[in-house]
């Protein structure tokens, strides 16, 4: 199995990033990055620059609770014996906590206790990992694992980019395990079946491309990088002639928005310029479509959507609705990806609804 390291290219990239970062971010961290962002920009630079995300998403007391053992989301009920199934994706909040904690640490010097809770959640998750890299016993093994892997990879990426020595033990503890999960997502029998199940869901192509592409960046693994690129192109190939991404045979604002968000994050580690350009086009078309469904109070119209506002439910049985925190995040990333100031206005408008403040990741 091919595992060719591309550390030389990574070194050149890091040198470019350092130079670009110094020129983009002032001492008080309030100078806006030039947009569209250069291909060498780091996700961490974007997050540390974006005030909307800092004020609306990276808020410590809005994150869901975690048990003393590290169970999160619907897994809390599983741990208490109130549910008979658990999902590894519920532990994805660890990546969100790391994201917020690292940004707070970079800007304020204090991670607000978010990192310690994330480590508990990751310990809970990886204690259930099998020798092959999967998570036996998970009720939806492939899709749940790809969601979890993408979030954890993003968290480790931000720790690596921060260069903060007190957190590097987290990368050392989990990266090899996550790398094994990456291979499981590509090569296992369950993965082959999962790929077939995922086919009607365009956004899932971008979930796994972000996961595999970020793991590849962290490890220098060309095999996983190629797999990520293939998944990204597969998702982009599903676009309609007007650039929109179908979900279960139709359009769905929330899932299209989520797919664009994950694709834009993958774009920051994607090695192929043509694919980066195609992602930018898809993201722009998606955000323009979604913005047309946002009213003056920041509420998003989901009538007629294929999955949200209908019969589809979350793991805990609650009905699916537009994910407002992802909506804010996607429009912020869209500003940095495409350079359209109106996207920040849409992000602020969605935040005005306040829905994300009681329904966080």
């Amino acid at each position: 199995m091919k595992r060719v390291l591309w550390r030389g290219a990574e070194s050149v990239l890091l040198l470019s990033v350092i130079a670009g970062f110094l020129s983009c971010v002032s001492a008080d961290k309030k100078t806006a990055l030039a947009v569209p962002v250069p291909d060498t920009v780091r996700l961490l630079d974007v997050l540390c620059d974006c005030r909307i995300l800092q004020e609306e998403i990276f808020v410590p007391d809005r994150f869901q609770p975690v048990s003393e053992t590290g169970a999160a989301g619907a897994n809390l009920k599983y741990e208490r014996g109130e549910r008979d199934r658990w999902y590894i994706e519920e532990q994805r909040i660890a990546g969100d906590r790391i994201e917020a904690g690292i940004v707070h640490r970079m800007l304020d010097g204090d991670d607000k206790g978010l990192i310690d809770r994330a480590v508990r959640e990751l310990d809970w998750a990886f204690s259930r990992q099998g020798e092959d890299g999967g998570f036996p016993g998970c009720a939806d093994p492939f899709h749940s694992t790809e969601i979890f892997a993408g979030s954890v990879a993003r968290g480790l990426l931000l720790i690596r980019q921060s260069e903060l020595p007190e957190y590097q033990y987290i990368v050392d503890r989990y990266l090899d395990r996550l790398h094994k999960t990456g291979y499981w997502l590509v090569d296992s029998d369950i993965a082959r079946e999962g790929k077939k199940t995922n086919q009607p869901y365009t956004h899932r192509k971008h979930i796994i491309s972000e996961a595999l592409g970020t793991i590849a960046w962290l490890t220098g693994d060309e095999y996983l990088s190629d797999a990520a690129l293939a998944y990204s192109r597969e998702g982009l190939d599903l676009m309609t002639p007007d650039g929109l991404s179908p979900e279960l045979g139709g359009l769905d604002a929330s899932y299209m928005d989520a797919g664009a968000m994950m694709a834009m994050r993958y774009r920051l580690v994607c090695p192929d310029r043509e694919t980066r350009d195609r992602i930018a086009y898809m993201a722009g078309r998606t955000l323009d479509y979604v913005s047309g469904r946002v009213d003056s109070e920041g509420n998003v119209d989901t009538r007629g959507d294929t999955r949200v506002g209908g019969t589809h439910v979350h793991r805990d049985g609650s009905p699916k609705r537009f994910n407002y925190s992802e909506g804010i995040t996607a429009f912020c990333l869209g500003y940095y990806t495409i350079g359209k100031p109106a996207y920040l206005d849409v992000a602020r408008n969605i935040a005005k609804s306040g829905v994300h403040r009681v329904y966080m990741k």
Side-chain angles (χ1 to χ4, degrees):
M1 200 175 290
K2 182 171 60 173
R3 302 193 186 200
V4 180
L5 300 179
W6 19 292
R7 291 300 187 192
E10 182 181 319
S11 299
V12 172
L13 174 62
L14 288 173
L15 290 173
S16 299
V17 165
I18 292 169
F21 183 57
L22 291 174
S23 65
C24 290
V25 183
S26 66
D28 64 1
K29 301 182 179 66
K30 294 181 180 178
T31 300
L33 291 167
V35 291
V37 293
D39 289 333
T40 54
V41 77
R42 305 182 307 173
L43 177 61
L44 181 61
D45 299 342
V46 171
L47 302 182
C48 287
D49 187 72
C50 188
R51 294 293 296 274
I52 301 173
L53 291 176
Q54 295 157 26
E55 294 169 358
E56 299 293 342
I57 303 300
F58 304 150
V59 182
D61 62 4
R62 293 182 194 159
F63 280 87
Q64 297 172 359
V66 57
S67 73
E68 286 300 315
T69 63
N75 291 338
L76 283 164
K77 292 185 177 180
Y78 169 80
E79 189 175 66
R80 293 195 294 258
E82 298 170 11
R83 295 177 66 90
D84 59 1
R85 295 190 292 182
W86 60 274
Y87 297 88
I88 197 64
E89 75 197 67
E90 294 296 296
Q91 302 302 116
R92 71 189 183 278
I93 195 173
D96 299 328
R97 287 193 207 274
I98 291 173
E99 179 181 61
I102 290 294
V103 170
H104 279 293
R105 174 66 176 80
M106 295 293 290
L107 298 180
D108 310 323
D110 182 0
D111 67 20
K112 313 298 184 184
L114 289 162
I115 305 295
D116 284 345
R117 287 194 282 277
V119 170
R120 291 211 310 271
E121 288 160 341
L122 292 176
D123 283 342
W124 192 98
F126 282 108
S127 71
R128 287 158 175 77
Q129 186 180 38
E131 286 297 319
D132 62 356
F135 293 88
C138 175
D140 185 1
F142 182 71
H143 180 47
S144 199
T145 300
E146 66 184 348
I147 295 173
F148 172 73
S151 183
V152 177
R154 173 165 43 94
L156 299 190
L157 172 72
L158 292 170
I159 291 173
R160 177 75 64 78
Q161 289 179 344
S162 77
E163 300 182 352
L164 295 168
E166 63 266 39
Y167 303 125
Q168 297 308 313
Y169 80 93
I170 299 173
V171 178
D172 295 338
R173 183 183 296 185
Y174 303 118
L175 182 54
D176 286 346
R177 301 179 189 184
L178 184 64
H179 195 184
K180 184 180 291 187
T181 297
Y183 270 82
W184 183 91
L185 284 169
V186 175
D187 292 333
S188 69
D189 291 337
I190 291 176
R192 283 186 279 274
E193 289 302 312
K195 185 175 182 179
K196 296 176 184 177
T197 302
N198 276 358
Q199 192 56 35
Y201 307 98
T202 302
H203 83 285
R204 294 187 183 182
K205 312 299 187 300
H206 302 301
I207 290 176
I208 196 166
S209 66
E210 181 198 354
L212 297 176
T214 308
I215 295 170
W217 189 96
L218 287 163
T219 60
D221 191 316
E222 190 173 292
Y223 180 74
L224 294 185
S225 179
D226 289 346
L229 191 59
Y231 266 112
S232 179
R233 289 170 174 168
E234 184 179 342
L236 295 168
D237 287 344
L238 291 173
M239 285 191 298
T240 62
D242 55 359
L244 298 178
S245 301
E247 189 79 10
L248 275 183
L251 299 181
D252 187 287
S254 190
Y255 280 95
M256 290 165 59
D257 177 272
M261 176 189 71
M262 292 162 186
M264 286 186 284
R265 290 197 296 229
Y266 169 62
R267 184 177 181 270
L268 295 177
V269 296
C270 175
D272 181 71
R273 177 174 292 277
E274 179 184 0
T275 302
R276 293 196 298 268
D277 291 344
R278 293 183 68 192
I279 289 171
Y281 171 74
M282 178 274 287
R285 296 294 296 165
T286 297
L287 296 177
D288 290 345
Y289 172 82
V290 175
S291 66
R293 309 193 73 172
V294 184
D295 68 20
S296 61
E297 300 301 315
N299 301 300
V300 182
D301 183 2
T302 59
R303 288 175 296 181
D305 286 357
T306 53
R307 301 187 66 193
V308 172
T311 59
H312 288 239
V313 297
H314 290 290
R315 300 298 193 191
D316 63 2
S318 62
K320 291 193 174 186
R321 55 182 172 177
F322 186 86
N323 190 316
Y324 282 74
S325 62
E326 287 185 352
I328 294 168
T329 301
F331 277 97
C332 287
L333 291 177
Y335 167 70
Y336 290 100
T337 299
I338 298 160
K340 191 172 181 178
Y343 289 157
L344 290 183
D345 295 333
V346 178
R348 292 189 187 95
N349 191 30
I350 294 174
K352 188 166 61 176
S353 73
V355 175
H356 62 290
R357 294 172 191 155
V358 295
Y359 183 68
M360 284 291 287
K361 300 176 184 178

